[in-house]
Amino acid sequence: MAPIKDIEYFRVKPRWLFVKITDDEGRVGWGEGTLEGHSLAVEGALDEIIVRLIGQEANNIEHIWQLIWRLGFYRGGAVFMSALSGIDIALWDLKARRMNVPLFELLGGKVRERCQVYCWIGGDRPSDIEAAAKARKAQGLTCIKMNATEDVNWLDGPSVLDATVERLKAVKAIGLDAGLDFHGRLHKPMAKQLAKALEPHRPLFIEEPILVEHPEALKQLAGMTHIPIALGERLYHRWDAKRFLEEGLIDILQPDIAHAGGISETKRLANMAEAYDVAIAPHCPLGPIAFAASLHVGLSTANFVILEMSLGMHYNVEAGDIDLNTYLKDQSVFEIKQGHVGAPTGPGLGIDIDEDMIRKIAAETEPWQPKEFYGPDGSIREW
């Protein structure tokens, strides 16, 4: 038996929220419940959940998941599911550490030896693409992702889209594949034009070309373009994803393990997607715990294709010296080789967390606020 003795959470730079679970024998598991720009809300949700979990058997991960999901009456949503994610990931890490095996062994074992990854270039407002792409290629990457556009009006001049095509051409000329993240910034009139303009240049995928609250518009777009459509960071569980899979609206599902119910629900989403011939490419512009958890899911999932990695991401750079490896004692565990990261060999998530550094930085970390974009008329545009 391994009853839960204590649960703590830590808000750390640049914008991450880590969860630590300790059992009554002093064993520890780490999770991540980051919800970018909404740390205080997730912390409040964790405060409500934690009091119900002290004394629960830590090995009973599925029971605890169902307890939080079903016996809270109200279900789903970004905040609630991110809090659940942090708990779930930490429980899986704790159990695998208790059994002294890498976490992927508890998920059915490996179906591959390494996972392909991509990193960001260009920031929120894409610029200096060529130099950034060359630097990523030198890091060993074969694929990158960038925001497709800056902020765009509901209806804008077609010329605002021309630069997107030129950036994609520049990246491909260097020898990299590129996914383009529309970031939900484009509404239907502009998304239709941009998808058509990009098609001859064959991006790896277009991500969130239209916000998920418009499935009817996504259906129209899916019928117009041959470019793979990817989305899923704003779908928080299998019931959210069900319609998009049933209606054939997407080609690549991108659950975020820190938003979508942790390892337990991400695996279920992947299995569900496989039945519709849809791949998964986990969304993960987050911290090392979420990345490690996503890596184990990718290693053990047949329809996995590629994983997002926040190494050197603009949000990390804005925080100073903080990056994906900052809170790790062994900073070589996520080494990139030929565009891939290998399977961790240590127990649990396979990473050693520097708890002293986490506690030190958490003591001085203010909540990260979402970006704000406004048009020339002063109206809000999608970030």
Side-chain angles (χ1 to χ4, degrees):
M1 300 291 288
I4 295 172
K5 181 179 181 180
D6 189 37
I7 304 177
E8 300 175 87
Y9 55 79
F10 305 91
R11 183 199 317 142
V12 295
K13 296 175 183 176
R15 52 179 192 164
W16 303 332
L17 187 66
F18 297 159
V19 176
K20 178 189 175 186
I21 296 182
T22 306
D23 69 15
D24 69 348
E25 295 182 357
R27 287 181 289 258
V28 168
W30 285 91
E32 184 169 346
T34 300
L35 182 63
E36 309 94 289
H38 302 285
S39 290
L40 293 177
V42 178
E43 290 167 23
L46 283 167
D47 287 337
E48 287 195 339
I49 292 169
I50 286 170
V51 295
R52 306 183 68 189
L53 299 188
I54 302 302
Q56 290 283 334
E57 171 55 46
N59 280 330
N60 294 338
I61 299 172
E62 181 63 18
H63 172 73
I64 290 173
W65 199 98
Q66 295 290 338
L67 170 69
I68 297 170
W69 170 260
R70 296 168 64 191
L71 294 187
F73 189 80
Y74 298 101
R75 305 175 183 180
V79 172
F80 176 83
M81 295 304 292
S82 296
L84 174 52
S85 298
I87 297 291
D88 182 84
I89 295 168
L91 288 171
W92 279 104
D93 184 38
L94 175 58
K95 186 167 187 173
R97 288 180 184 276
R98 181 183 179 121
M99 300 178 71
N100 197 34
V101 296
L103 200 151
F104 58 73
E105 296 287 4
L106 304 187
L107 303 178
K110 292 182 290 184
V111 297
R112 58 182 53 81
E113 296 299 321
R114 61 196 64 84
C115 289
Q116 187 177 9
V117 296
Y118 66 80
C119 292
W120 273 83
I121 62 171
D124 279 319
R125 297 183 180 276
S127 61
D128 299 326
I129 290 300
E130 189 170 354
K134 288 179 178 177
R136 289 302 194 185
K137 188 174 183 181
Q139 285 180 301
L141 288 161
T142 58
C143 181
I144 58 88
K145 186 168 80 173
M146 57 185 170
N147 273 312
T149 67
E150 295 191 10
D151 51 294
V152 177
N153 201 2
W154 217 287
L155 179 65
D156 225 322
S159 61
V160 305
L161 307 177
D162 294 342
T164 304
V165 175
E166 294 306 313
R167 284 192 294 268
L168 176 60
K169 289 167 62 178
V171 168
K172 295 201 71 172
I174 292 167
L176 294 171
D177 284 321
L180 292 181
D181 191 352
F182 285 41
H183 218 256
R185 291 176 179 176
L186 276 72
H187 298 274
K188 185 169 63 171
M190 303 304 292
K192 289 162 60 177
Q193 294 180 71
L194 185 53
K196 183 177 181 179
L198 290 169
E199 189 150 325
H201 307 286
R202 303 175 69 185
L204 199 63
F205 56 80
I206 52 175
E207 179 176 336
E208 281 199 320
I210 298 173
L211 289 166
V212 294
E213 53 256 45
H214 303 299
E216 69 292 331
L218 278 163
K219 188 172 185 177
Q220 293 176 34
L221 185 63
M224 294 171 54
T225 184
H226 294 95
I227 303 172
I229 294 175
L231 57 81
E233 68 195 81
R234 290 187 252 206
L235 302 176
Y236 307 114
H237 46 71
R238 71 202 100 144
W239 296 277
D240 274 350
K242 181 166 61 172
R243 177 178 182 179
F244 294 87
L245 295 170
E246 287 179 345
E247 297 188 16
L249 306 185
I250 57 173
D251 305 292
I252 303 165
L253 182 64
Q254 296 176 302
D256 188 309
I257 208 161
H259 306 340
I263 291 167
S264 297
E265 188 69 359
T266 301
K267 280 291 288 185
R268 289 189 283 255
L269 280 162
N271 293 337
M272 185 178 176
E274 186 182 10
Y276 291 90
D277 198 28
V278 170
I280 70 154
H283 178 264
C284 194
L286 305 176
I289 300 171
F291 181 77
S294 299
L295 188 61
H296 284 273
V297 168
L299 289 165
S300 60
T301 299
N303 57 325
F304 164 87
V305 287
I306 197 166
L307 171 60
E308 184 170 15
M309 187 179 198
S310 75
L311 184 68
M313 193 178 187
H314 45 292
Y315 300 122
N316 302 354
V317 172
E318 291 166 7
D321 295 329
I322 306 298
D323 205 351
L324 181 67
N325 296 321
T326 298
Y327 301 104
L328 302 181
K329 291 181 179 178
D330 177 4
Q331 299 196 355
S332 67
V333 67
F334 298 146
E335 184 181 1
I336 300 168
K337 293 182 179 179
Q338 297 179 322
H340 293 70
V341 173
T345 58
L349 289 170
I351 56 176
D352 291 321
I353 297 295
D354 189 336
E355 185 172 338
D356 290 340
M357 179 175 289
I358 286 173
R359 290 184 180 277
K360 177 182 177 181
I361 294 179
E364 59 187 39
T365 300
E366 297 295 326
W368 184 85
Q369 295 298 319
K371 301 296 180 73
E372 296 183 8
F373 285 180
Y374 297 92
D377 61 357
S379 62
I380 290 175
R381 291 185 173 183
E382 301 293 344
W383 160 48

